[in-house]
C-alpha cells in the first residue's frame, strides 16, 4: 500500500522473505485502494498509511478493505472513538466512513478514510489524566448471531465494572449490525472511559466460537479497568500508535503511560533509527503516581515539513 501511495520501488515483499528493500518517491494524494483479501485489519492499513498521506501533495481518499473488527488489531470502533480524537490533537482531522463491517475469517469489510495534508504536525502534551467522568460503549452482533448475545455481553461488562466503579452510570448499547452493513458473522464489545481532561481509555473483546457472551463482556471490562489503574493518560494500545506522530511533530511531545509495551519500545527503536527524533522514557515523578507503574514518554520531534505545501 505504501509503495503505491508514493510510486516507490519494493523488493522482497513476499511470504517467506526475510528482507525487504523499499525506495519511496513523492507521496501522492488522490484515491487509493488497498484490499487485504482476508480479515486482515483495515485499521492497520490506516495506521501505516496515515502518517504518509499527511505529507502528500493533495487530499487523499483511502478505500481500505478487509476486517474491521478483527483480532490482534484495533477494532474500527476503537480507531473512531479513541485513536481519532487523540491523534487529531497533532493538528489534523480525518474522516472515517464505515461502509461495511467485516469479521474473521471472511473479512469483506470496507472503510473510506478521507484526509487533507498538513504543513507540519503540532506536538502534544498528554500528562494530566483528570478523573473518569463517563463510561459508555457498544456490544454488537452481526449475521446469524442472536441479539441476546449482544445484551448478555453488555450486561456482564456492566456488572464487572460496577464492582469497581460504583458512582458512574455505565451505558453500553447492545447493537444488531444491519444486514446490508456487515459481511459474515461476528460479535464483540468495546467500552470507553472518558476523563475530565479529555483522556480516553478502552477495553474491548471479540467473540469466538464456543466462548460464551458473558466471558467476552467481562474480558473487555477487565481490560478497561486495568487501563484505568495505572494512572497514565493513554491506554496500552494507544501508546504505540502515537509514537510515529510524536517523532514527526515540530517540538517536544509528552505522554503519560502505564508500563511501556513492547510495541511502543519497537516503534521508538525504529522511529529513532529512521527519522532521528530523540525519545526519553522515564518513571513519572508525580506524587499520585509514586505507587504505580507510570511513565512519561518524551520526544523531541524532527519537525517534518511537507515539501508540497
Amino acid at each position: 500500500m505504501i509503495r503505491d501511495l508514493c510510486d516507490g520501488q519494493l523488493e522482497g515483499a513476499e511470504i517467506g522473505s526475510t528482507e525487504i528493500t523499499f525506495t519511496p518517491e513523492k507521496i501522492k494524494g488522490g484515491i487509493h485502494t488497498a484490499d487485504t483479501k482476508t480479515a486482515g485489519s483495515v485499521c492497520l492499513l490506516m495506521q501505516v498509511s496515515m502518517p504518509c498521506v499527511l505529507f502528500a501533495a493533495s487530499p487523499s481518499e483511502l478505500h481500505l478493505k478487509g476486517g474491521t473488527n478483527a483480532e490482534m488489531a484495533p477494532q474500527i470502533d476503537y480507531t473512531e472513538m479513541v485513536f481519532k480524537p487523540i491523534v487529531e490533537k497533532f493538528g489534523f482531522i480525518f474522516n472515517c466512513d464505515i461502509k461495511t463491517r467485516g469479521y474473521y475469517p471472511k473479512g469483506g469489510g470496507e472503510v473510506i478514510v478521507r484526509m487533507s495534508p498538513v504543513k507540519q504536525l503540532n506536538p502534544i502534551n498528554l500528562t494530566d489524566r483528570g478523573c473518569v467522568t463517563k463510561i459508555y460503549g457498544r456490544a454488537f452482533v452481526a449475521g446469524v448471531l442472536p441479539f441476546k448475545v449482544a445484551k448478555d455481553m453488555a450486561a456482564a461488562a456492566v456488572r464487572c465494572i460496577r464492582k469497581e466503579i460504583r458512582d458512574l452510570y455505565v451505558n453500553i448499547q447492545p447493537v444488531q449490525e444491519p444486514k446490508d452493513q456487515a459481511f459474515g458473522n461476528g460479535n464483540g464489545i468495546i467500552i470507553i472511559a472518558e476523563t475530565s481532561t479529555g483522556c480516553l481509555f478502552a477495553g474491548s473483546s471479540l467473540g469466538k466460537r464456543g466462548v460464551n457472551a458473558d466471558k467476552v463482556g467481562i474480558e473487555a471490562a477487565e481490560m478497561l479497568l486495568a487501563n484505568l489503574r495505572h494512572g497514565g493518560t493513554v491506554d496500552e494500545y494507544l501508546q504505540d500508535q502515537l509514537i510515529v506522530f510524536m517523532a514527526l511533530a515540530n517540538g517536544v511531545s509528552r505522554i503519560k503511560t502505564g508500563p511501556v509495551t513492547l510495541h511502543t519500545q519497537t516503534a521508538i527503536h525504529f522511529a529513532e533509527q529512521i527519522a532521528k527524533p530523540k525519545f526519553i522514557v522515564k518513571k513519572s515523578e508525580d506524587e499520585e503516581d509514586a505507587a504505580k507503574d507510570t511513565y512519561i514518554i518524551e520526544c523531541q520531534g524532527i519537525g517534518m515539513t511537507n515539501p508540497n505545501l
Side-chain angles (χ1 to χ4, degrees):
M1 182 186 189
I2 301 304
R3 178 200 65 196
D4 295 348
L5 281 177
C6 68
D7 278 337
Q9 303 288 316
L10 182 60
E11 289 156 40
E14 56 266 330
I15 291 172
S17 166
T18 58
E19 193 173 292
I20 63 167
T21 306
F22 173 52
T23 313
E25 297 290 337
K26 189 175 167 177
I27 304 169
K28 303 179 303 187
I31 297 174
H32 297 278
T33 299
D35 187 352
T36 65
K37 303 200 166 46
T38 62
S41 170
V42 297
C43 300
L44 296 182
L45 292 174
M46 194 189 306
Q47 222 178 73
V48 74
S49 53
M50 194 174 276
C52 299
V53 297
L54 279 172
F55 294 95
S58 60
S60 300
E61 187 174 297
L62 309 174
H63 294 241
L64 310 176
K65 300 177 182 181
T68 58
N69 298 77
E71 290 285 0
M72 308 294 288
Q75 295 190 47
I76 191 68
D77 309 271
Y78 182 94
T79 299
E80 279 211 308
M81 295 161 81
V82 178
F83 173 76
K84 183 181 193 292
I86 303 297
V87 85
E88 286 181 343
K89 292 179 191 286
F90 286 99
F92 66 93
I93 50 176
F94 71 94
N95 176 270
C96 178
D97 183 8
I98 305 170
K99 290 288 180 214
T100 322
R101 287 172 178 268
Y103 313 98
Y104 180 81
K106 287 184 182 170
E110 181 180 8
V111 303
I112 298 175
V113 179
R114 296 180 181 90
M115 57 196 301
S116 293
V118 292
K119 184 70 188 164
Q120 276 192 323
L121 293 173
N122 305 326
I124 62 166
N125 186 12
L126 291 180
T127 49
D128 181 8
R129 195 182 92 158
C131 51
V132 178
T133 53
K134 266 193 219 163
I135 299 178
Y136 52 90
R138 80 194 291 271
F140 70 85
V141 289
V144 299
L145 291 155
F147 187 56
K148 181 182 185 309
V149 169
K151 291 196 286 198
D152 288 352
M153 287 188 296
V158 170
R159 283 196 302 274
C160 182
I161 292 167
R162 285 259 163 80
K163 286 184 196 150
E164 210 159 308
I165 300 174
R166 294 183 184 82
D167 51 348
L168 281 179
Y169 174 63
V170 180
N171 178 18
I172 303 174
Q173 295 287 325
V175 180
Q176 170 82 57
E177 303 290 8
K179 287 271 185 282
D180 59 340
Q181 288 167 33
F183 187 79
N185 309 309
N187 67 297
I189 181 170
I190 179 163
I191 318 160
I192 314 278
E194 200 173 305
T195 75
S196 52
T197 53
C199 297
L200 296 161
F201 301 84
S204 63
S205 183
L206 287 164
K208 295 177 207 53
R209 193 166 283 168
V211 177
N212 79 17
D214 285 27
K215 197 170 169 190
V216 180
I218 289 164
E219 184 176 66
E222 285 179 341
M223 184 192 290
L224 176 66
L225 292 169
N227 275 307
L228 290 173
R229 282 184 205 115
H230 60 54
T233 59
V234 295
D235 65 35
E236 61 182 312
Y237 297 106
L238 191 59
Q239 247 185 56
D240 64 281
Q241 295 183 59
L242 299 177
I243 296 298
V244 172
F245 299 96
M246 291 168 71
L248 296 174
N250 184 29
V252 177
S253 292
R254 284 185 195 84
I255 58 173
K256 188 189 276 195
T257 70
V260 178
T261 66
L262 190 54
H263 267 54
T264 298
Q265 293 171 45
T266 307
I268 289 173
H269 172 82
F270 282 103
E272 287 186 329
Q273 294 252 323
I274 294 166
K276 307 279 189 284
K278 191 76 206 88
F279 280 90
I280 298 169
V281 180
K282 52 179 192 273
K283 197 98 171 60
S284 170
E285 286 155 14
D286 295 351
E287 273 132 53
E288 75 259 27
D289 300 327
K292 296 179 183 149
D293 213 5
T294 313
Y295 297 83
I296 301 282
I297 301 175
E298 186 176 295
C299 173
Q300 173 67 56
I302 63 170
M304 175 77 184
T305 302
N306 190 332
N308 307 299
L309 296 187

